[in-house]
Amino acid sequence: MSDSVRILNRTREIVLGTRIELADSWWARLRGYLGRKNPPLPGEGILLVSCSAIHTYGMQFELDVIFLDAGGMVLQTISDMQRWTRSPRVAGARYVLEVPSGTIRRTGTSIGDALTWRPLDALALKPTEVV
């Protein structure tokens, strides 16, 4: 996986994660959380690029899953997606955000919300930029 990003729910003005790994290659999307024994910590996650459905076959823990269109609008959410299942294919989805269980509930994220993200290094270069 490549660099980390920070993801903000602009609609609700709340941060969903500060250490979100960007899975922008075929291998990184395939790997995801497979083989990891521990769930992500609060603030961690994976943003799968060019993705409209996921599975949790072989996973050791549940996740919250957020499907986004090309502009970052939330199209669908799945709270506490169980292990050994698969999601439906979400029409129009371009990204899938996988975060710790409870993130959707904690942040109030729902369909229609607008999410934005920036690479962490870009934030460091422009500290006055509003994300």
Side-chain angles (χ1 to χ4, degrees):
M1 291 191 215
S2 64
D3 297 330
S4 292
V5 296
R6 176 181 187 263
I7 297 187
L8 173 72
N9 181 328
R10 287 183 44 173
T11 303
R12 301 185 187 282
E13 297 182 358
I14 190 165
V15 175
L16 274 78
T18 56
R19 295 173 313 278
I20 306 294
E21 297 176 45
L22 190 62
D24 55 359
S25 70
W26 178 85
W27 174 249
R29 285 190 306 274
L30 178 67
R31 173 84 167 117
Y33 280 117
L34 294 178
R36 297 186 192 189
K37 294 181 182 177
N38 298 313
L41 297 172
E44 294 179 340
I46 297 176
L47 182 63
L48 305 164
V49 179
S50 298
C51 188
S52 61
I54 66 161
H55 69 83
T56 58
Y57 303 133
M59 289 189 48
Q60 306 294 316
F61 46 84
E62 290 78 31
L63 291 168
D64 279 2
V65 181
I66 302 170
F67 295 86
L68 307 165
D69 71 7
M73 185 178 73
V74 176
L75 300 174
Q76 182 69 39
T77 64
I78 302 173
S79 294
D80 305 314
M81 185 170 169
Q82 298 298 302
R83 302 175 303 155
W84 295 94
T85 60
R86 70 178 209 200
S87 74
R89 184 163 304 283
V90 176
R94 171 87 166 103
Y95 303 97
V96 177
L97 177 60
E98 298 177 344
V99 290
S101 286
T103 302
I104 292 171
R105 195 171 29 260
R106 178 181 57 77
T107 63
T109 298
S110 62
I111 294 171
D113 285 359
L115 306 188
T116 58
W117 51 91
R118 296 266 191 263
L120 294 180
D121 58 350
L123 288 175
L125 294 174
K126 300 175 185 173
T128 59
E129 180 178 331
V130 175
V131 180

